[in-house]
Amino acid sequence: MKTYIVGNWKLNFNVGEASIYLHKLLKALPNYRDIDVVVAPSVVALQPLSLQVDRHKLKLAAQNAFYRDYGAFTGEISFTQLRGIVDYCIIGHSERRHIFGEDNKMIAKKMAAAIRNKITPILCIGETESERAFGETADVIRDQLIGGLSEVADDDIEKVIVAYEPVWAISSTKAAKLATPDEISEVVKLIRKTLTEVYGMKAAEKIPVLFGGSVSPANAGAYLTVPGVNGLLIGGSSLILSEFADIIETAKRVKA
Ligand code: PGA
């Protein structure tokens, strides 16, 4: 399976800054066959960057989109509009869930809309600090996974990517803590077990599972060697070109 290194820029960089960053990154990146490098800029930068990007080296992701293709939905953008511009879309990020009130039902519709428009959805799931403290991690993970995938047809299930992002490990979270490889391994096993129960082993084995939460050059190697982890979703560290490039290099080394 490929390794996925995905940079989530969140609400950072204007179009000019994004373009300069991308220019430098493309220059520094060789063409890795087994590693998909992806960045998710702010939506205003997507269209211009799509003209600049060399898709053999790097692909674009959206950070969010609405599930209807067109209509009276002021302020929204659709997967139909993103079609041809991005290859991936992050869906159900914890900031969407917790700041913008997205629930599993809405996220499920977005997953289906992405697939309908030939965009690979990256479904983010993860428990909060208090859910973990109350022993609810397994229930939350199963609920977000099964709920988020509920509108994806069985035939399409191999088109999704899942990202485990414990909310308490995300760098912008108050008092963020680093997840240990053991903690990640336990949840990744649960994700695969749940996928196997619902979709069968053959399909479950083909779904990439990424980890995200304060990933940096210092811990990327350890996280990438957790059994069952197929890549990383990186926030803060992806904003610093040298760190992001370093993580890509680490992925190459781990792969070799
Ligand atoms: P972080 O963000 O790497 O800054 O913790 C990850 C994410 O929110 O996707």
mmCIF file of all heavy atoms in Angstrom, residues 141-193:
data_model
loop_
_atom_site.group_PDB
_atom_site.id
_atom_site.type_symbol
_atom_site.label_atom_id
_atom_site.label_comp_id
_atom_site.label_asym_id
_atom_site.label_seq_id
_atom_site.Cartn_x
_atom_site.Cartn_y
_atom_site.Cartn_z
ATOM 1 N N ILE A 141 -15.020 5.891 18.439
ATOM 2 C CA ILE A 141 -14.363 5.522 17.171
ATOM 3 C C ILE A 141 -15.306 4.699 16.293
ATOM 4 O O ILE A 141 -15.476 4.976 15.106
ATOM 5 C CB ILE A 141 -13.048 4.732 17.465
ATOM 6 C CG1 ILE A 141 -12.018 5.637 18.139
ATOM 7 C CG2 ILE A 141 -12.481 4.107 16.195
ATOM 8 C CD1 ILE A 141 -11.571 6.822 17.326
ATOM 9 N N ARG A 142 -15.947 3.717 16.889
ATOM 10 C CA ARG A 142 -16.872 2.875 16.103
ATOM 11 C C ARG A 142 -18.029 3.704 15.562
ATOM 12 O O ARG A 142 -18.422 3.575 14.410
ATOM 13 C CB ARG A 142 -17.416 1.737 16.978
ATOM 14 C CG ARG A 142 -16.394 0.653 17.276
ATOM 15 C CD ARG A 142 -17.003 -0.417 18.167
ATOM 16 N NE ARG A 142 -18.064 -1.129 17.477
ATOM 17 C CZ ARG A 142 -17.875 -2.229 16.765
ATOM 18 N NH1 ARG A 142 -16.667 -2.756 16.674
ATOM 19 N NH2 ARG A 142 -18.867 -2.825 16.149
ATOM 20 N N ASP A 143 -18.540 4.558 16.435
ATOM 21 C CA ASP A 143 -19.675 5.394 16.066
ATOM 22 C C ASP A 143 -19.318 6.347 14.907
ATOM 23 O O ASP A 143 -20.057 6.472 13.934
ATOM 24 C CB ASP A 143 -20.024 6.208 17.323
ATOM 25 C CG ASP A 143 -21.404 6.773 17.251
ATOM 26 O OD1 ASP A 143 -22.297 6.001 16.871
ATOM 27 O OD2 ASP A 143 -21.571 7.976 17.552
ATOM 28 N N GLN A 144 -18.187 6.999 15.011
ATOM 29 C CA GLN A 144 -17.778 7.957 13.964
ATOM 30 C C GLN A 144 -17.415 7.229 12.668
ATOM 31 O O GLN A 144 -17.669 7.727 11.574
ATOM 32 C CB GLN A 144 -16.595 8.810 14.443
ATOM 33 C CG GLN A 144 -16.980 9.775 15.567
ATOM 34 C CD GLN A 144 -15.833 10.688 15.979
ATOM 35 O OE1 GLN A 144 -14.707 10.541 15.527
ATOM 36 N NE2 GLN A 144 -16.123 11.626 16.869
ATOM 37 N N LEU A 145 -16.839 6.039 12.804
ATOM 38 C CA LEU A 145 -16.433 5.278 11.622
ATOM 39 C C LEU A 145 -17.662 4.724 10.897
ATOM 40 O O LEU A 145 -17.864 4.967 9.699
ATOM 41 C CB LEU A 145 -15.498 4.143 12.057
ATOM 42 C CG LEU A 145 -14.831 3.328 10.963
ATOM 43 C CD1 LEU A 145 -13.938 4.197 10.084
ATOM 44 C CD2 LEU A 145 -13.990 2.201 11.577
ATOM 45 N N ILE A 146 -18.496 4.017 11.615
ATOM 46 C CA ILE A 146 -19.686 3.405 10.991
ATOM 47 C C ILE A 146 -20.640 4.507 10.523
ATOM 48 O O ILE A 146 -21.169 4.460 9.417
ATOM 49 C CB ILE A 146 -20.362 2.419 11.976
ATOM 50 C CG1 ILE A 146 -19.426 1.238 12.223
ATOM 51 C CG2 ILE A 146 -21.712 1.938 11.419
ATOM 52 C CD1 ILE A 146 -19.873 0.286 13.316
ATOM 53 N N GLY A 147 -20.809 5.538 11.360
ATOM 54 C CA GLY A 147 -21.695 6.651 10.990
ATOM 55 C C GLY A 147 -21.175 7.397 9.772
ATOM 56 O O GLY A 147 -21.912 7.676 8.828
ATOM 57 N N GLY A 148 -19.903 7.679 9.756
ATOM 58 C CA GLY A 148 -19.312 8.450 8.659
ATOM 59 C C GLY A 148 -19.333 7.706 7.332
ATOM 60 O O GLY A 148 -19.380 8.320 6.272
ATOM 61 N N LEU A 149 -19.307 6.377 7.407
ATOM 62 C CA LEU A 149 -19.270 5.579 6.172
ATOM 63 C C LEU A 149 -20.661 5.092 5.756
ATOM 64 O O LEU A 149 -20.805 4.398 4.749
ATOM 65 C CB LEU A 149 -18.347 4.369 6.360
ATOM 66 C CG LEU A 149 -16.860 4.691 6.585
ATOM 67 C CD1 LEU A 149 -16.069 3.414 6.873
ATOM 68 C CD2 LEU A 149 -16.268 5.414 5.371
ATOM 69 N N SER A 150 -21.675 5.483 6.515
ATOM 70 C CA SER A 150 -22.995 4.873 6.324
ATOM 71 C C SER A 150 -23.626 5.158 4.962
ATOM 72 O O SER A 150 -24.487 4.414 4.522
ATOM 73 C CB SER A 150 -23.944 5.291 7.445
ATOM 74 O OG SER A 150 -24.107 6.697 7.407
ATOM 75 N N GLU A 151 -23.215 6.217 4.298
ATOM 76 C CA GLU A 151 -23.815 6.512 2.991
ATOM 77 C C GLU A 151 -22.892 6.128 1.825
ATOM 78 O O GLU A 151 -23.162 6.455 0.675
ATOM 79 C CB GLU A 151 -24.192 7.995 2.896
ATOM 80 C CG GLU A 151 -25.151 8.409 3.983
ATOM 81 C CD GLU A 151 -26.393 9.128 3.484
ATOM 82 O OE1 GLU A 151 -26.538 9.334 2.271
ATOM 83 O OE2 GLU A 151 -27.221 9.467 4.337
ATOM 84 N N VAL A 152 -21.780 5.485 2.157
ATOM 85 C CA VAL A 152 -20.872 5.026 1.098
ATOM 86 C C VAL A 152 -21.318 3.626 0.674
ATOM 87 O O VAL A 152 -21.489 2.747 1.518
ATOM 88 C CB VAL A 152 -19.406 4.984 1.610
ATOM 89 C CG1 VAL A 152 -18.476 4.402 0.550
ATOM 90 C CG2 VAL A 152 -18.942 6.377 2.027
ATOM 91 N N ALA A 153 -21.530 3.432 -0.624
ATOM 92 C CA ALA A 153 -21.950 2.116 -1.115
ATOM 93 C C ALA A 153 -20.833 1.102 -0.882
ATOM 94 O O ALA A 153 -19.650 1.459 -0.930
ATOM 95 C CB ALA A 153 -22.269 2.214 -2.605
ATOM 96 N N ASP A 154 -21.199 -0.146 -0.625
ATOM 97 C CA ASP A 154 -20.198 -1.191 -0.374
ATOM 98 C C ASP A 154 -19.149 -1.261 -1.497
ATOM 99 O O ASP A 154 -17.968 -1.452 -1.238
ATOM 100 C CB ASP A 154 -20.875 -2.563 -0.240
ATOM 101 C CG ASP A 154 -21.579 -2.689 1.111
ATOM 102 O OD1 ASP A 154 -21.566 -1.699 1.883
ATOM 103 O OD2 ASP A 154 -22.141 -3.761 1.380
ATOM 104 N N ASP A 155 -19.610 -1.064 -2.723
ATOM 105 C CA ASP A 155 -18.691 -1.130 -3.861
ATOM 106 C C ASP A 155 -17.661 0.004 -3.857
ATOM 107 O O ASP A 155 -16.652 -0.063 -4.558
ATOM 108 C CB ASP A 155 -19.479 -1.018 -5.188
ATOM 109 C CG ASP A 155 -20.170 -2.319 -5.509
ATOM 110 O OD1 ASP A 155 -19.893 -3.315 -4.813
ATOM 111 O OD2 ASP A 155 -20.985 -2.332 -6.450
ATOM 112 N N ASP A 156 -17.963 1.065 -3.138
ATOM 113 C CA ASP A 156 -17.075 2.232 -3.122
ATOM 114 C C ASP A 156 -16.172 2.286 -1.890
ATOM 115 O O ASP A 156 -15.365 3.215 -1.759
ATOM 116 C CB ASP A 156 -17.916 3.523 -3.159
ATOM 117 C CG ASP A 156 -18.553 3.751 -4.517
ATOM 118 O OD1 ASP A 156 -17.945 3.332 -5.526
ATOM 119 O OD2 ASP A 156 -19.644 4.341 -4.569
ATOM 120 N N ILE A 157 -16.317 1.317 -1.022
ATOM 121 C CA ILE A 157 -15.655 1.443 0.281
ATOM 122 C C ILE A 157 -14.126 1.504 0.144
ATOM 123 O O ILE A 157 -13.446 2.156 0.936
ATOM 124 C CB ILE A 157 -16.117 0.326 1.254
ATOM 125 C CG1 ILE A 157 -15.804 0.736 2.695
ATOM 126 C CG2 ILE A 157 -15.529 -1.030 0.939
ATOM 127 C CD1 ILE A 157 -16.587 1.917 3.190
ATOM 128 N N GLU A 158 -13.600 0.883 -0.902
ATOM 129 C CA GLU A 158 -12.135 0.899 -1.070
ATOM 130 C C GLU A 158 -11.636 2.249 -1.585
ATOM 131 O O GLU A 158 -10.437 2.450 -1.752
ATOM 132 C CB GLU A 158 -11.708 -0.235 -2.000
ATOM 133 C CG GLU A 158 -11.884 -1.580 -1.323
ATOM 134 C CD GLU A 158 -11.744 -2.758 -2.277
ATOM 135 O OE1 GLU A 158 -11.123 -2.593 -3.340
ATOM 136 O OE2 GLU A 158 -12.247 -3.842 -1.939
ATOM 137 N N LYS A 159 -12.564 3.182 -1.830
ATOM 138 C CA LYS A 159 -12.141 4.515 -2.295
ATOM 139 C C LYS A 159 -11.923 5.476 -1.142
ATOM 140 O O LYS A 159 -11.625 6.647 -1.363
ATOM 141 C CB LYS A 159 -13.209 5.087 -3.235
ATOM 142 C CG LYS A 159 -13.387 4.261 -4.495
ATOM 143 C CD LYS A 159 -14.486 4.817 -5.380
ATOM 144 C CE LYS A 159 -14.718 3.897 -6.571
ATOM 145 N NZ LYS A 159 -16.045 4.110 -7.157
ATOM 146 N N VAL A 160 -12.116 5.046 0.094
ATOM 147 C CA VAL A 160 -11.992 5.992 1.209
ATOM 148 C C VAL A 160 -10.653 5.826 1.935
ATOM 149 O O VAL A 160 -10.008 4.780 1.876
ATOM 150 C CB VAL A 160 -13.152 5.859 2.240
ATOM 151 C CG1 VAL A 160 -14.510 5.837 1.549
ATOM 152 C CG2 VAL A 160 -12.987 4.631 3.107
ATOM 153 N N ILE A 161 -10.280 6.890 2.604
ATOM 154 C CA ILE A 161 -9.123 6.888 3.504
ATOM 155 C C ILE A 161 -9.657 7.285 4.876
ATOM 156 O O ILE A 161 -10.543 8.140 4.969
ATOM 157 C CB ILE A 161 -8.055 7.902 3.027
ATOM 158 C CG1 ILE A 161 -7.488 7.469 1.655
ATOM 159 C CG2 ILE A 161 -6.935 8.059 4.048
ATOM 160 C CD1 ILE A 161 -6.467 8.454 1.074
ATOM 161 N N VAL A 162 -9.144 6.648 5.919
ATOM 162 C CA VAL A 162 -9.553 7.002 7.280
ATOM 163 C C VAL A 162 -8.351 7.623 7.996
ATOM 164 O O VAL A 162 -7.226 7.146 7.826
ATOM 165 C CB VAL A 162 -10.046 5.747 8.055
ATOM 166 C CG1 VAL A 162 -10.340 6.077 9.507
ATOM 167 C CG2 VAL A 162 -11.287 5.148 7.377
ATOM 168 N N ALA A 163 -8.588 8.691 8.729
ATOM 169 C CA ALA A 163 -7.501 9.278 9.528
ATOM 170 C C ALA A 163 -7.909 9.269 10.998
ATOM 171 O O ALA A 163 -8.956 9.819 11.356
ATOM 172 C CB ALA A 163 -7.215 10.704 9.069
ATOM 173 N N TYR A 164 -7.081 8.623 11.821
ATOM 174 C CA TYR A 164 -7.319 8.662 13.264
ATOM 175 C C TYR A 164 -6.615 9.886 13.834
ATOM 176 O O TYR A 164 -5.392 9.981 13.776
ATOM 177 C CB TYR A 164 -6.815 7.379 13.935
ATOM 178 C CG TYR A 164 -6.839 7.467 15.449
ATOM 179 C CD1 TYR A 164 -7.993 7.892 16.102
ATOM 180 C CD2 TYR A 164 -5.725 7.154 16.215
ATOM 181 C CE1 TYR A 164 -8.028 8.002 17.491
ATOM 182 C CE2 TYR A 164 -5.751 7.246 17.598
ATOM 183 C CZ TYR A 164 -6.906 7.676 18.232
ATOM 184 O OH TYR A 164 -6.937 7.797 19.600
ATOM 185 N N GLU A 165 -7.402 10.802 14.356
ATOM 186 C CA GLU A 165 -6.846 12.009 14.954
ATOM 187 C C GLU A 165 -7.449 12.215 16.343
ATOM 188 O O GLU A 165 -8.528 12.807 16.478
ATOM 189 C CB GLU A 165 -7.175 13.237 14.086
ATOM 190 C CG GLU A 165 -6.505 13.226 12.740
ATOM 191 C CD GLU A 165 -6.221 14.643 12.249
ATOM 192 O OE1 GLU A 165 -7.151 15.469 12.189
ATOM 193 O OE2 GLU A 165 -5.053 14.931 11.947
ATOM 194 N N PRO A 166 -6.771 11.703 17.380
ATOM 195 C CA PRO A 166 -7.284 11.953 18.727
ATOM 196 C C PRO A 166 -7.284 13.473 18.981
ATOM 197 O O PRO A 166 -6.262 14.131 18.785
ATOM 198 C CB PRO A 166 -6.284 11.230 19.635
ATOM 199 C CG PRO A 166 -5.084 10.943 18.800
ATOM 200 C CD PRO A 166 -5.489 10.989 17.374
ATOM 201 N N VAL A 167 -8.431 13.982 19.375
ATOM 202 C CA VAL A 167 -8.570 15.437 19.487
ATOM 203 C C VAL A 167 -7.558 16.013 20.491
ATOM 204 O O VAL A 167 -6.986 17.081 20.278
ATOM 205 C CB VAL A 167 -10.024 15.806 19.887
ATOM 206 C CG1 VAL A 167 -10.189 17.312 20.008
ATOM 207 C CG2 VAL A 167 -11.008 15.250 18.861
ATOM 208 N N TRP A 168 -7.295 15.252 21.553
ATOM 209 C CA TRP A 168 -6.392 15.707 22.610
ATOM 210 C C TRP A 168 -4.934 15.785 22.146
ATOM 211 O O TRP A 168 -4.098 16.360 22.825
ATOM 212 C CB TRP A 168 -6.504 14.803 23.843
ATOM 213 C CG TRP A 168 -6.451 13.326 23.513
ATOM 214 C CD1 TRP A 168 -7.526 12.524 23.251
ATOM 215 C CD2 TRP A 168 -5.288 12.497 23.389
ATOM 216 N NE1 TRP A 168 -7.103 11.243 22.962
ATOM 217 C CE2 TRP A 168 -5.740 11.195 23.047
ATOM 218 C CE3 TRP A 168 -3.926 12.716 23.534
ATOM 219 C CZ2 TRP A 168 -4.864 10.129 22.849
ATOM 220 C CZ3 TRP A 168 -3.051 11.653 23.336
ATOM 221 C CH2 TRP A 168 -3.526 10.380 23.002
ATOM 222 N N ALA A 169 -4.636 15.194 21.002
ATOM 223 C CA ALA A 169 -3.242 15.226 20.507
ATOM 224 C C ALA A 169 -3.036 16.301 19.446
ATOM 225 O O ALA A 169 -1.914 16.504 18.980
ATOM 226 C CB ALA A 169 -2.857 13.854 19.960
ATOM 227 N N ILE A 170 -4.119 16.961 19.021
ATOM 228 C CA ILE A 170 -3.975 17.978 17.972
ATOM 229 C C ILE A 170 -3.332 19.232 18.561
ATOM 230 O O ILE A 170 -3.719 19.687 19.650
ATOM 231 C CB ILE A 170 -5.348 18.257 17.311
ATOM 232 C CG1 ILE A 170 -5.758 17.011 16.519
ATOM 233 C CG2 ILE A 170 -5.292 19.478 16.411
ATOM 234 C CD1 ILE A 170 -7.109 17.085 15.857
ATOM 235 N N SER A 171 -2.353 19.766 17.845
ATOM 236 C CA SER A 171 -1.467 20.770 18.447
ATOM 237 C C SER A 171 -2.179 22.041 18.901
ATOM 238 O O SER A 171 -1.735 22.700 19.835
ATOM 239 C CB SER A 171 -0.346 21.122 17.472
ATOM 240 O OG SER A 171 -0.888 21.780 16.348
ATOM 241 N N SER A 172 -3.295 22.370 18.242
ATOM 242 C CA SER A 172 -3.995 23.595 18.640
ATOM 243 C C SER A 172 -4.880 23.373 19.864
ATOM 244 O O SER A 172 -5.445 24.307 20.415
ATOM 245 C CB SER A 172 -4.843 24.085 17.467
ATOM 246 O OG SER A 172 -5.720 23.056 17.087
ATOM 247 N N THR A 173 -5.028 22.122 20.298
ATOM 248 C CA THR A 173 -5.856 21.813 21.460
ATOM 249 C C THR A 173 -5.137 22.270 22.721
ATOM 250 O O THR A 173 -3.923 22.104 22.827
ATOM 251 C CB THR A 173 -6.103 20.284 21.549
ATOM 252 O OG1 THR A 173 -6.476 19.821 20.261
ATOM 253 C CG2 THR A 173 -7.178 19.948 22.545
ATOM 254 N N LYS A 174 -5.911 22.813 23.648
ATOM 255 C CA LYS A 174 -5.313 23.242 24.908
ATOM 256 C C LYS A 174 -4.613 22.040 25.548
ATOM 257 O O LYS A 174 -5.194 20.953 25.620
ATOM 258 C CB LYS A 174 -6.426 23.730 25.850
ATOM 259 C CG LYS A 174 -6.187 25.135 26.342
ATOM 260 C CD LYS A 174 -7.187 25.613 27.379
ATOM 261 C CE LYS A 174 -8.538 24.998 27.263
ATOM 262 N NZ LYS A 174 -9.405 25.003 28.346
ATOM 263 N N ALA A 175 -3.399 22.217 25.979
ATOM 264 C CA ALA A 175 -2.663 21.133 26.646
ATOM 265 C C ALA A 175 -2.576 19.861 25.810
ATOM 266 O O ALA A 175 -2.771 18.758 26.311
ATOM 267 C CB ALA A 175 -3.314 20.818 27.988
ATOM 268 N N ALA A 176 -2.314 20.029 24.511
ATOM 269 C CA ALA A 176 -2.185 18.850 23.645
ATOM 270 C C ALA A 176 -1.079 17.938 24.162
ATOM 271 O O ALA A 176 -0.035 18.404 24.623
ATOM 272 C CB ALA A 176 -1.875 19.291 22.215
ATOM 273 N N LYS A 177 -1.352 16.641 24.114
ATOM 274 C CA LYS A 177 -0.357 15.648 24.530
ATOM 275 C C LYS A 177 0.030 14.818 23.316
ATOM 276 O O LYS A 177 -0.781 14.631 22.414
ATOM 277 C CB LYS A 177 -0.978 14.705 25.576
ATOM 278 C CG LYS A 177 -1.026 15.281 26.963
ATOM 279 C CD LYS A 177 -1.383 14.189 27.959
ATOM 280 C CE LYS A 177 -2.605 13.445 27.545
ATOM 281 N NZ LYS A 177 -3.662 13.188 28.423
ATOM 282 N N LEU A 178 1.244 14.303 23.327
ATOM 283 C CA LEU A 178 1.632 13.426 22.218
ATOM 284 C C LEU A 178 1.026 12.043 22.425
ATOM 285 O O LEU A 178 1.103 11.488 23.524
ATOM 286 C CB LEU A 178 3.154 13.289 22.169
ATOM 287 C CG LEU A 178 3.948 14.441 21.548
ATOM 288 C CD1 LEU A 178 5.428 14.064 21.521
ATOM 289 C CD2 LEU A 178 3.458 14.766 20.147
ATOM 290 N N ALA A 179 0.428 11.499 21.379
ATOM 291 C CA ALA A 179 -0.066 10.126 21.455
ATOM 292 C C ALA A 179 1.132 9.185 21.399
ATOM 293 O O ALA A 179 2.107 9.460 20.690
ATOM 294 C CB ALA A 179 -1.003 9.853 20.290
ATOM 295 N N THR A 180 1.073 8.085 22.143
ATOM 296 C CA THR A 180 2.171 7.116 22.072
ATOM 297 C C THR A 180 1.866 6.112 20.948
ATOM 298 O O THR A 180 0.697 5.885 20.627
ATOM 299 C CB THR A 180 2.320 6.336 23.394
ATOM 300 O OG1 THR A 180 1.147 5.533 23.572
ATOM 301 C CG2 THR A 180 2.493 7.260 24.579
ATOM 302 N N PRO A 181 2.904 5.494 20.400
ATOM 303 C CA PRO A 181 2.665 4.465 19.376
ATOM 304 C C PRO A 181 1.695 3.381 19.856
ATOM 305 O O PRO A 181 0.862 2.917 19.088
ATOM 306 C CB PRO A 181 4.067 3.913 19.108
ATOM 307 C CG PRO A 181 4.962 5.091 19.365
ATOM 308 C CD PRO A 181 4.339 5.801 20.543
ATOM 309 N N ASP A 182 1.771 3.001 21.138
ATOM 310 C CA ASP A 182 0.855 1.972 21.653
ATOM 311 C C ASP A 182 -0.589 2.441 21.632
ATOM 312 O O ASP A 182 -1.505 1.689 21.284
ATOM 313 C CB ASP A 182 1.229 1.584 23.090
ATOM 314 C CG ASP A 182 2.429 0.661 23.115
ATOM 315 O OD1 ASP A 182 2.809 0.166 22.024
ATOM 316 O OD2 ASP A 182 2.993 0.451 24.208
ATOM 317 N N GLU A 183 -0.806 3.699 22.023
ATOM 318 C CA GLU A 183 -2.177 4.237 22.012
ATOM 319 C C GLU A 183 -2.735 4.256 20.586
ATOM 320 O O GLU A 183 -3.896 3.939 20.344
ATOM 321 C CB GLU A 183 -2.189 5.660 22.603
ATOM 322 C CG GLU A 183 -2.022 5.687 24.110
ATOM 323 C CD GLU A 183 -1.726 7.086 24.662
ATOM 324 O OE1 GLU A 183 -1.124 7.927 23.954
ATOM 325 O OE2 GLU A 183 -2.083 7.340 25.832
ATOM 326 N N ILE A 184 -1.869 4.639 19.649
ATOM 327 C CA ILE A 184 -2.307 4.697 18.241
ATOM 328 C C ILE A 184 -2.599 3.292 17.730
ATOM 329 O O ILE A 184 -3.624 3.034 17.104
ATOM 330 C CB ILE A 184 -1.224 5.375 17.374
ATOM 331 C CG1 ILE A 184 -0.990 6.803 17.853
ATOM 332 C CG2 ILE A 184 -1.616 5.355 15.905
ATOM 333 C CD1 ILE A 184 0.256 7.460 17.276
ATOM 334 N N SER A 185 -1.678 2.370 18.036
ATOM 335 C CA SER A 185 -1.815 1.000 17.562
ATOM 336 C C SER A 185 -3.137 0.383 18.006
ATOM 337 O O SER A 185 -3.831 -0.274 17.235
ATOM 338 C CB SER A 185 -0.628 0.198 18.093
ATOM 339 O OG SER A 185 -0.835 -1.148 17.870
ATOM 340 N N GLU A 186 -3.484 0.631 19.262
ATOM 341 C CA GLU A 186 -4.718 0.063 19.807
ATOM 342 C C GLU A 186 -5.943 0.551 19.025
ATOM 343 O O GLU A 186 -6.828 -0.235 18.670
ATOM 344 C CB GLU A 186 -4.825 0.494 21.277
ATOM 345 C CG GLU A 186 -5.744 -0.373 22.095
ATOM 346 C CD GLU A 186 -5.846 0.163 23.517
ATOM 347 O OE1 GLU A 186 -4.788 0.532 24.096
ATOM 348 O OE2 GLU A 186 -6.958 0.248 24.015
ATOM 349 N N VAL A 187 -5.984 1.838 18.730
ATOM 350 C CA VAL A 187 -7.156 2.386 18.021
ATOM 351 C C VAL A 187 -7.138 1.961 16.546
ATOM 352 O O VAL A 187 -8.183 1.645 15.974
ATOM 353 C CB VAL A 187 -7.228 3.927 18.176
ATOM 354 C CG1 VAL A 187 -8.369 4.490 17.340
ATOM 355 C CG2 VAL A 187 -7.407 4.298 19.647
ATOM 356 N N VAL A 188 -5.952 1.918 15.951
ATOM 357 C CA VAL A 188 -5.880 1.508 14.541
ATOM 358 C C VAL A 188 -6.368 0.050 14.399
ATOM 359 O O VAL A 188 -7.073 -0.298 13.453
ATOM 360 C CB VAL A 188 -4.453 1.702 13.983
ATOM 361 C CG1 VAL A 188 -4.275 1.020 12.635
ATOM 362 C CG2 VAL A 188 -4.156 3.194 13.855
ATOM 363 N N LYS A 189 -6.026 -0.774 15.388
ATOM 364 C CA LYS A 189 -6.520 -2.169 15.373
ATOM 365 C C LYS A 189 -8.042 -2.186 15.432
ATOM 366 O O LYS A 189 -8.701 -2.952 14.727
ATOM 367 C CB LYS A 189 -5.968 -2.931 16.591
ATOM 368 C CG LYS A 189 -4.653 -3.616 16.307
ATOM 369 C CD LYS A 189 -4.322 -4.585 17.444
ATOM 370 C CE LYS A 189 -2.830 -4.618 17.650
ATOM 371 N NZ LYS A 189 -2.425 -4.781 19.052
ATOM 372 N N LEU A 190 -8.582 -1.345 16.284
ATOM 373 C CA LEU A 190 -10.044 -1.280 16.418
ATOM 374 C C LEU A 190 -10.694 -0.805 15.111
ATOM 375 O O LEU A 190 -11.743 -1.323 14.698
ATOM 376 C CB LEU A 190 -10.404 -0.326 17.571
ATOM 377 C CG LEU A 190 -11.887 -0.027 17.718
ATOM 378 C CD1 LEU A 190 -12.645 -1.252 18.206
ATOM 379 C CD2 LEU A 190 -12.115 1.145 18.669
ATOM 380 N N ILE A 191 -10.047 0.158 14.456
ATOM 381 C CA ILE A 191 -10.576 0.658 13.172
ATOM 382 C C ILE A 191 -10.612 -0.481 12.153
ATOM 383 O O ILE A 191 -11.615 -0.726 11.503
ATOM 384 C CB ILE A 191 -9.729 1.849 12.658
ATOM 385 C CG1 ILE A 191 -9.928 3.063 13.571
ATOM 386 C CG2 ILE A 191 -10.062 2.187 11.200
ATOM 387 C CD1 ILE A 191 -8.993 4.235 13.291
ATOM 388 N N ARG A 192 -9.505 -1.219 12.053
ATOM 389 C CA ARG A 192 -9.459 -2.328 11.081
ATOM 390 C C ARG A 192 -10.454 -3.429 11.444
ATOM 391 O O ARG A 192 -11.083 -4.019 10.570
ATOM 392 C CB ARG A 192 -8.052 -2.919 11.016
ATOM 393 C CG ARG A 192 -7.045 -1.956 10.492
ATOM 394 C CD ARG A 192 -6.382 -2.457 9.188
ATOM 395 N NE ARG A 192 -5.382 -1.486 8.802
ATOM 396 C CZ ARG A 192 -5.461 -0.697 7.749
ATOM 397 N NH1 ARG A 192 -6.499 -0.803 6.929
ATOM 398 N NH2 ARG A 192 -4.525 0.191 7.487
ATOM 399 N N LYS A 193 -10.586 -3.688 12.740
ATOM 400 C CA LYS A 193 -11.520 -4.732 13.185
ATOM 401 C C LYS A 193 -12.945 -4.324 12.798
ATOM 402 O O LYS A 193 -13.705 -5.131 12.253
ATOM 403 C CB LYS A 193 -11.390 -4.888 14.705
ATOM 404 C CG LYS A 193 -12.238 -5.981 15.292
ATOM 405 C CD LYS A 193 -11.762 -6.316 16.723
ATOM 406 C CE LYS A 193 -12.773 -7.211 17.426
ATOM 407 N NZ LYS A 193 -13.802 -6.457 18.150
#
